[in-house]
Amino acid sequence: MINAKTKLYGLIGKPVEHSLSPAIHNALFKKYNINAVYLAFEVNDLDSAVKGVRALGISGLNVTMPHKEQILEFLDGLSEEAKAIGSVNTIVNREGKLIGYNTDGIGALKALKRFTEVENKNILVLGAGGAGKAIAYTLSRLAKVVVLNRTERKAKELEKFGVKGEKLSKESLEHYLSWADIVINATSLGMNEDKSPIPKKLLRENLVVFDIVYFPLETKLLREAREVGCLTIDGLWMLIYQGAESFKLWTGVKPDVEFMRKVALEALKSERQSI
């Protein structure tokens, strides 16, 4: 029951209308008897939105594209990870102070660890955007990481984490796929489209293929990887694990990820039916 004591959490970004986060977090609030609601807000004016968060006392936010990097200038503090990565996907309102965190990296790591070993592996990350940066930062502490990106400068910037950054080309992709134990698509290629960043002929049976895109749940990359015999991991696992970390930061509760995935799959099914 919503009342005068109900806390408000939410998601800011653009677009947000297809986000699964409201379904997941509202189900968690209900499951753990927490008096709170979670809404999605499409935000154009980030400055005004953050002022609104302060004025209304909103308890916490998730931040998605295109605001993950720009949001930093409006916050009062950053976690070690958020500061290093330069990107925030979670905000906690601590008595009026807005503190930024990044749970994308730990979300990806936990998704990987659910299915495979990570320590000392050779990992190829495609994309040096907000998610790619977070993933490279987190995995660089455990494994050998190479990041390929269409804009070479953005890939090179990540070398401060101890990874190797190069321009994404046919040659570099083929070279590092032959080296990699795990490949991660951290780009949006394949979202709502039947496209893959990796030609099927370059995939091989002993490769672990992780796509952070979760709509569709099985992207062209994952479908072709499965056909070749690769171990595949869908992007919904990363969404769930990063969401679980956000929920824990807000409430102190470590949520049930199996329950979260069940809710997310139901919401995803409903979303597919509505399109």
Side-chain angles (χ1 to χ4, degrees):
M1 179 69 72
I2 295 174
N3 56 33
K5 295 182 180 179
T6 303
K7 292 184 176 181
L8 176 59
Y9 295 86
L11 169 70
I12 59 171
K14 185 180 181 181
V16 296
E17 62 181 0
H18 298 302
S19 174
L20 301 180
S21 294
I24 294 169
H25 287 291
N26 284 315
L28 287 175
F29 290 143
K30 183 177 181 180
K31 178 178 175 66
Y32 295 107
N33 296 311
I34 296 171
N35 188 0
V37 294
Y38 185 108
L39 300 174
F41 302 98
E42 187 156 303
V43 169
N44 291 304
D45 185 342
L46 195 54
D47 186 13
S48 296
V50 176
K51 287 177 181 175
V53 170
R54 295 183 188 277
L56 296 173
I58 292 174
S59 299
L61 290 175
N62 282 133
V63 184
T64 189
M65 299 303 292
H67 302 315
K68 286 186 176 186
E69 297 177 356
Q70 188 185 353
I71 192 74
L72 271 69
E73 65 181 281
F74 302 104
L75 303 179
D76 301 305
L78 298 171
S79 69
E80 178 186 343
E81 291 83 1
K83 187 180 293 184
I85 297 163
S87 177
V88 161
N89 78 327
T90 304
I91 297 171
V92 181
N93 189 339
R94 300 197 188 282
E95 299 180 346
K97 300 290 186 182
L98 301 184
I99 311 301
Y101 296 83
N102 193 304
T103 67
D104 281 334
I106 189 66
L109 175 60
K110 288 191 172 186
L112 279 169
K113 280 191 166 184
R114 185 181 182 91
F115 296 95
T116 188
E117 293 293 324
V118 176
E119 287 80 0
N120 301 314
K121 296 292 185 178
N122 295 338
I123 302 179
L124 174 61
V125 178
L126 305 182
K133 285 197 294 184
I135 291 168
Y137 172 82
T138 302
L139 296 184
S140 68
R141 276 126 181 83
L142 301 169
K144 297 174 183 176
V145 179
V146 171
V147 179
L148 299 182
N149 192 68
R150 286 180 300 177
T151 305
E152 186 176 15
R153 175 184 55 80
K154 291 189 72 175
K156 290 291 186 184
E157 287 173 359
L158 302 191
E159 292 188 341
K160 62 186 177 184
F161 301 150
V163 309
K164 185 176 180 62
E166 289 192 15
K167 182 177 178 59
L168 175 59
S169 65
K170 290 181 180 179
E171 293 75 21
S172 64
L173 182 60
E174 185 171 358
H175 173 74
Y176 285 109
L177 277 171
S178 66
W179 162 86
D181 301 304
I182 300 168
V183 60
I184 303 171
N185 175 35
T187 76
S188 60
L189 190 64
M191 184 184 297
N192 290 316
E193 59 182 359
D194 196 42
K195 293 182 179 179
S196 172
I198 302 174
K200 186 176 182 179
K201 64 182 181 180
L202 296 183
L203 298 169
R204 64 181 194 281
E205 188 176 358
N206 60 343
L207 192 64
V208 176
V209 180
F210 178 23
D211 196 337
I212 73 166
V213 172
Y214 61 84
F215 198 85
L217 190 61
E218 185 177 67
T219 59
K220 182 178 181 180
L221 170 61
L222 293 186
R223 184 180 71 247
E224 293 185 339
R226 174 176 54 79
E227 290 168 354
V228 169
C230 303
L231 170 62
T232 63
I233 305 169
D234 65 66
L236 196 58
W237 284 114
M238 176 173 163
L239 177 74
I240 286 167
Y241 277 111
Q242 65 85 15
E245 293 297 315
S246 296
F247 191 81
K248 186 178 177 182
L249 283 169
W250 293 329
T251 67
V253 175
K254 184 179 179 181
D256 180 347
V257 293
E258 301 294 344
F259 172 78
M260 293 174 71
R261 184 167 176 93
K262 181 182 177 183
V263 171
L265 286 171
E266 289 173 355
L268 200 59
K269 182 180 179 181
S270 176
E271 181 67 33
R272 281 200 302 268
Q273 291 173 344
S274 68
I275 292 176

